Amino acid sequence: MNICVFCASSMNIDRKYLDLAGNVGAELAKRGHTLVSGGATVSCMGAVTSAARAAGGRTIGVIPQVLVDIEIADEESDELVVTQDMRERKGVMDARSDAFLVLPGGIGTLEELFEIWTARVLGIHDRPLVILDPWGLYEPLKTLVGTMYDQGFARADVFDAISWTTTVEEALAHLEARAQPVRPSVAELGEAAG
């Protein structure tokens, strides 16, 4: 599968989060999956992609031009897609992915999570969405969504649209259990048309 990983870009986080991202990248590659990422070299984004490549995996990075301009683009990606802005970036990442894995992160990670989660609840897609949260960063979010449901702001299927996990193995097992065919790359689509 092409597995999109949403994760932190902050440089002010505990080393354990970088190690987690590295473990995810290595395990994705070991299992033969392609990593779709935010296309940057910093923090967890850099850790997940460099570990995937070190383990022989394929990486697709998607990054807006503004971040390329500040020299954090992952130029070593097997495929680096440069977009005009953040909205286009998310659209390309979505279109190129068969499944979504959310690691601990900040508000940008939350934005990506909510967009994919909302689309899943609305039936716009049925691709698996998994949160990997070994240290409970997202526990308040789970509680908040439960409260929103209790007060009528969320439908019951909000809980069916996502899996909450605490280990890399558990997270990937959830993704693989709902595996869909890998989407063709842009190059493959062009070859088929030609």
Side-chain angles (χ1 to χ4, degrees):
M1 290 188 293
N2 287 358
I3 298 178
C4 180
V5 175
F6 298 128
C7 59
S9 61
S10 173
M11 300 302 290
N12 300 314
I13 58 176
D14 192 289
R15 178 76 209 179
K16 67 186 181 185
Y17 295 111
L18 300 174
D19 292 342
L20 176 66
N23 291 338
V24 166
E27 190 63 22
L28 285 176
K30 177 181 166 187
R31 293 174 181 230
H33 301 302
T34 294
L35 170 67
V36 178
S37 78
T41 57
V42 296
S43 189
C44 291
M45 282 199 282
V48 72
T49 55
S50 60
R53 278 195 298 275
R58 184 170 188 278
T59 61
I60 300 170
V62 185
I63 189 167
Q65 184 64 53
V66 66
L67 297 182
V68 173
D69 294 343
I70 60 172
E71 299 179 349
I72 63 167
D74 183 10
E75 300 290 347
E76 295 180 29
S77 285
D78 293 295
E79 187 177 347
L80 185 64
V81 180
V82 179
T83 64
Q84 292 298 313
D85 54 34
M86 296 292 278
R87 286 179 187 241
E88 184 184 2
R89 175 201 219 179
K90 286 188 299 178
V92 171
M93 291 174 77
D94 180 357
R96 298 296 300 274
S97 300
D98 302 301
F100 303 92
L101 178 58
V102 182
L103 305 185
I107 61 171
T109 304
L110 284 176
E111 179 194 19
E112 293 161 335
L113 164 63
F114 279 121
E115 185 165 326
I116 296 301
W117 194 357
T118 301
R120 182 111 200 274
V121 170
L122 293 174
I124 295 169
H125 74 85
D126 64 354
R127 291 166 283 164
L129 170 60
V130 172
I131 289 181
L132 173 55
D133 189 21
W135 302 286
L137 178 72
Y138 293 123
E139 282 301 315
L141 174 61
K142 189 190 290 189
T143 300
L144 174 62
V145 174
T147 302
M148 294 167 85
Y149 170 74
D150 291 342
Q151 296 189 21
F153 290 104
R155 303 184 322 214
D157 56 357
V158 72
F159 303 107
D160 299 330
I162 193 165
S163 298
W164 303 78
T165 64
T166 57
T167 69
V168 174
E169 294 74 19
E170 182 187 14
L172 292 177
H174 276 274
L175 293 174
E176 292 168 343
R178 301 173 82 175
Q180 301 292 323
V182 175
R183 295 164 183 263
S185 70
V186 171
E188 292 167 332
L189 289 172
E191 290 170 9

